Amino acid sequence: MRCPFCGSEDTQVKDSRPTEDGSAIRRRRFCPACGSRFTTFERVQLRDLVVVKANAQRVPFDRDKLFRSLSIAVRKRPIDEERIERIVNSITRRLESSGETEIPSKHIGELVMEALAGLDQVAYVRFASVYKNFREAKDFEDFLGSLGGHERVDVDD
């Protein structure tokens, strides 16, 4: 493994252990060249997934992009990084075990919406505003109205 700090290819594993949910191996590494320490994760990949975007463009599935999207949605909410990691693992496993190698981006968005709906309503609305491409305040109002069972508050201009 190459050191991310100095580029040396002679790094050493100091500690290996499974992640909390058992979906990966966490390795603490040390670079003797520069003295830096860093962590890597080793995960099982059942198959190479390709995401088919709305414009028909095909790109490799990027687990880190999924993690970043969820992290943005839950920013400044009382949700820890391990919970996000578990959601990403769950969505990735569902995609890999579906038997399909080409996954519509819309399907991934729906899985994220489903996960966020049960996790945090604010994060759910944040993600929905990007996923559903809200363009004006009325889009938020319509979406919030569709959630049902919640008291609505009118705000004067």
Side-chain angles (χ1 to χ4, degrees), residues 3-153:
C3 174
F5 301 101
C6 72
S8 172
E9 293 187 25
D10 183 33
T11 60
Q12 300 170 355
V13 175
K14 291 298 184 187
D15 180 48
S16 291
R17 64 179 69 165
T19 56
E20 202 171 282
D21 65 357
S23 66
I25 301 293
R26 179 184 182 270
R27 300 195 192 282
R28 288 292 300 151
R29 295 180 177 266
F30 172 74
C31 176
C34 70
S36 297
R37 294 181 181 272
F38 59 100
T39 302
T40 60
F41 292 89
E42 183 179 316
R43 290 183 176 77
V44 173
Q45 182 175 331
L46 298 176
R47 61 179 44 115
D48 288 331
L49 298 175
V50 175
V51 177
V52 181
K53 295 187 168 209
N55 65 5
Q57 178 186 8
R58 287 168 165 68
V59 297
F61 175 74
D62 185 350
R63 187 181 186 292
D64 293 334
K65 182 176 180 181
L66 179 58
F67 184 87
R68 285 190 306 271
S69 296
L70 281 159
S71 295
I72 290 167
V74 302
R75 184 176 292 151
K76 295 187 179 181
R77 301 296 300 154
I79 298 160
D80 62 20
E81 195 171 297
E82 286 184 20
R83 185 74 189 262
I84 299 167
E85 187 67 35
R86 286 194 301 271
I87 291 170
V88 170
N89 288 340
S90 172
I91 291 172
T92 302
R93 276 194 301 273
R94 286 176 68 178
L95 295 174
E96 288 178 339
S97 62
S98 72
E100 300 294 323
T101 56
E102 292 194 350
I103 311 291
S105 59
K106 181 177 180 162
H107 180 61
I108 297 170
E110 290 166 358
L111 292 174
V112 171
M113 291 281 289
E114 181 183 303
L116 288 174
L119 179 68
D120 184 270
Q121 288 291 303
V122 171
Y124 176 64
V125 172
R126 283 179 182 165
F127 185 85
S129 71
V130 175
Y131 175 64
K132 295 181 178 286
N133 199 21
F134 291 2
R135 297 203 181 275
E136 54 188 51
K138 178 107 173 82
D139 297 334
F140 282 94
E141 185 178 326
D142 293 344
F143 181 76
L144 292 172
S146 74
L147 292 178
H150 299 285
E151 195 174 307
R152 291 183 56 194
V153 177

